[in-house]
Amino acid sequence: MQQNKTIRSSEHLRRSISNIATDEPLARFVDFLKPLSANSKFLVIDEFYPAARTPTGVAPSMYKRLLRRHRVDDLKGRLKAFNDIHSSYFRRLDQLQSHFPNLIRHNTSAPLCAEQKGWCWWYNRRNLHAYFTDNAHFTPDGLELQRASYKKIVDELIPALKNRNNTVIH
């Protein structure tokens, strides 16, 4: 029986690329994914999302600031800056579909960056709940923000798993 796997992308995919055709981090990642792909109906990769940068983490920073009645509206990041910093990573991920037709990429940054064009907020501006406990791990509010995108993947996978033709989702 084939298993269904969800994996997270690796940091080494962020290194700069000199030639994508001979790129070692991509080749290593493809080799890593081959047995998973061969033994799975689908591979779901959570793409990197913009992570906050605060000295103590978003939730503790917000707590301290709100107690002192300090501003929190700077707890955000530019989507373009994130995409620029991770351009090599996304370029490598773009190559994976040709190796793995059963690959599904989950854009985890979309929910974080949907509220205001060009910005990714580290907290819910309506209720002032942080999306991150530290600078990278979601709080329950951050996980709730991701719920719809995960549900969409699951809702598309269930019928595909039942379909004997194993239709691939993109």
Side-chain angles (χ1 to χ4, degrees):
M1 181 170 130
Q2 287 187 321
Q3 297 294 312
N4 304 304
K5 304 277 183 192
T6 300
I7 60 169
R8 286 211 106 193
S9 303
S10 299
E11 280 289 326
H12 70 277
L13 297 176
R14 290 179 47 195
R15 295 183 191 147
S16 63
I17 300 171
S18 57
N19 181 347
I20 195 71
T22 60
D23 186 62
E24 185 181 335
L26 175 61
R28 284 196 321 252
F29 197 53
V30 167
D31 287 343
F32 170 77
L33 291 175
K34 280 180 183 176
L36 295 173
S37 178
N39 293 295
S40 303
K41 290 184 181 177
F42 299 101
L43 292 175
V44 178
I45 294 183
D46 282 349
E47 296 178 359
F48 287 158
Y49 50 82
R53 296 289 172 243
T54 63
T56 60
V58 177
S61 291
M62 284 192 68
Y63 176 73
K64 289 175 187 175
R65 288 179 183 201
L66 291 170
L67 279 177
R68 296 178 182 126
R69 299 183 191 271
H70 292 171
R71 295 176 46 197
V72 295
D73 62 350
D74 63 327
L75 295 174
K76 62 184 177 182
R78 290 194 180 275
L79 180 58
K80 183 178 180 343
F82 167 75
N83 287 333
D84 289 348
I85 290 167
H86 293 83
S87 62
S88 294
Y89 166 78
F90 288 113
R91 189 168 169 213
R92 287 183 176 103
L93 289 188
D94 290 343
Q95 304 299 309
L96 292 177
Q97 200 69 51
S98 64
H99 296 277
F100 307 105
N102 62 338
L103 176 71
I104 299 165
R105 288 173 56 179
H106 178 219
N107 180 352
T108 54
S109 63
L112 283 170
C113 308
E115 189 177 330
Q116 182 182 5
K117 186 173 175 65
W119 290 97
C120 305
W121 288 88
W122 311 141
Y123 67 97
N124 182 322
R125 295 189 300 161
R126 288 176 292 285
N127 63 17
L128 298 178
H129 292 181
Y131 290 141
F132 299 97
T133 55
D134 48 19
N135 286 321
H137 298 95
F138 288 123
T139 62
D141 284 72
L143 291 171
E144 183 62 33
L145 193 66
Q146 297 291 326
R147 179 191 299 266
S149 60
Y150 278 113
K151 183 177 181 333
K152 181 178 185 282
I153 291 170
V154 170
D155 288 349
E156 292 174 358
L157 284 179
I158 289 171
L161 289 169
K162 292 178 181 177
N163 181 351
R164 293 205 181 266
N165 296 332
N166 289 329
T167 305
V168 177
I169 302 165
H170 296 285

